Amino acid sequence: MSIDEKRNKLVNSLKLIADPMERLAYVIGKGKKAEALEEQLKIDQFKIEGCVSNLWIVPEFKDTKCFYKCDADAAITKGVATLLCDFYSGFSPEDILTVEPSFLAEAGVSQHLSPNRSNGLANAGNFMMQFAESCQAAKE
């Protein structure tokens, strides 16, 4: 599946959940089901600034693809970060750089976040994009 197909599938799936609170509950559920990071990975190098809660995103580049894992101490933060990590993982840096994380607004996710959580989401997306850019530059 291409990254554009995956994006459309995710957006359409989330749009099927008409009630915003149910959609938020779905996102929180994704975070609760996600595997926790090992404590030794919860370090400043992976901590996303600008978020009310603690959020860590651990990037990895292997076999020409980017992979992301995350953890947070707030359920909504972990849920949204998990959506992004699951979405971008397994794609090349070039593919990742074609889809901005703002697509979650189209899916009806980011509109119901507090300004601080929205800021944290933007910073998480920027972190993932910057990692993809650095991986792309290293390949050249």
Side-chain angles (χ1 to χ4, degrees):
M1 178 182 316
S2 75
I3 196 165
D4 288 327
E5 290 168 333
K6 190 173 182 181
R7 177 200 170 283
N8 292 339
K9 182 178 179 183
L10 178 59
V11 168
N12 290 333
S13 294
L14 289 168
K15 281 182 170 180
L16 288 175
I17 307 170
D19 182 275
M21 291 300 117
E22 284 182 32
R23 192 175 314 117
L24 211 50
Y26 170 81
V27 171
I28 290 169
K30 291 282 284 182
K32 286 181 178 179
K33 291 177 191 169
E35 193 174 314
L37 283 178
E38 296 126 25
E39 287 302 315
Q40 66 265 24
L41 294 175
K42 293 180 179 180
I43 57 176
D44 287 345
Q45 176 185 352
F46 302 130
K47 191 171 182 183
I48 305 301
E49 297 299 322
C51 198
V52 174
S53 57
N54 291 310
L55 169 62
W56 299 270
I57 296 178
V58 179
E60 181 181 14
F61 186 63
K62 70 178 181 190
D63 301 326
T64 70
K65 299 195 182 335
C66 296
F67 296 88
Y68 302 93
K69 298 187 292 187
C70 68
D71 204 349
D73 58 11
I76 186 64
T77 302
K78 185 171 181 179
V80 174
T82 297
L83 275 180
L84 284 175
C85 288
D86 289 351
F87 176 75
Y88 286 120
S89 287
F91 286 102
S92 70
E94 295 78 13
D95 287 338
I96 290 169
L97 295 171
T98 66
V99 180
E100 291 288 328
S102 58
F103 77 89
L104 287 179
E106 184 183 340
V109 172
S110 56
Q111 295 90 320
H112 304 289
L113 301 177
S114 69
N116 286 335
R117 294 220 192 280
S118 292
N119 185 42
L121 170 62
N123 290 347
N126 289 337
F127 177 84
M128 292 181 194
M129 294 303 227
Q130 288 170 357
F131 180 75
E133 285 175 357
S134 70
C135 293
Q136 183 180 35
K139 285 174 32 178
E140 295 173 354

